[in-house]
Amino acid sequence: MLSALTRSLSISPPRRLNAGRWSARLPTAPSAAAGVGDVASTEYAWGYAVRRQWPDGAHDLFGFTPRADLAQRRLDRDRDYWRSGPVRPTAVYLVAANAADVNRHPVNGCRRSGCPDSTQRGQR
């Protein structure tokens, strides 16, 4: 019998405390996935994202979800957060976007004109 100190790591790998706590949750929307042959991909699934416009002309795009009710809650939460701050965005609203656009979007203020800005689903 092996003691806890001499036990091989292959028998019991080291524990990772709180590893899932900070891991990003990926959207899972099998109903909104575009099927390619036998493989369904959620990369090009259409849904909603929050777009935040800044006074200097930059914008942020984040919080993709295929569910409209969840997107509305995220929008309300973001508006409430910025409502009482000294620096406020000029507009915060929902846009129709696909997961690929949101994942490839820069984190810090973007100024590209081709980013999703329409509220109509499936159109730019």
Side-chain angles (χ1 to χ4, degrees):
M1 183 167 131
L2 296 173
S3 69
L5 296 175
T6 59
R7 192 172 12 184
S8 170
L9 289 179
S10 63
I11 295 172
S12 63
R15 287 183 43 191
R16 297 177 75 191
L17 299 177
N18 297 327
R21 186 177 192 180
W22 295 284
S23 64
R25 294 185 183 198
L26 298 175
T28 56
S31 61
V36 180
D38 292 341
V39 180
S41 172
T42 58
E43 181 180 0
Y44 295 102
W46 279 95
Y48 306 94
V50 177
R51 183 177 168 122
R52 188 186 303 139
Q53 289 289 138
W54 293 103
D56 64 352
H59 65 270
D60 300 326
L61 188 66
F62 62 94
F64 174 80
T65 181
R67 294 178 36 199
D69 59 334
L70 182 59
Q72 186 63 43
R73 282 197 308 257
R74 288 179 180 170
L75 175 68
D76 294 339
R77 183 176 50 210
D78 197 63
R79 282 183 178 163
D80 289 343
Y81 177 80
W82 290 102
R83 183 171 292 143
S84 62
V87 178
R88 295 183 186 116
T90 56
V92 180
Y93 55 96
L94 289 179
V95 295
N98 63 24
D101 287 342
V102 177
N103 288 340
R104 282 185 263 161
H105 197 270
V107 175
N108 295 331
C110 175
R111 295 180 187 272
R112 291 184 295 179
S113 61
C115 295
D117 64 353
S118 173
T119 57
Q120 296 177 355
R121 186 175 178 140
Q123 298 178 1
R124 285 194 166 174

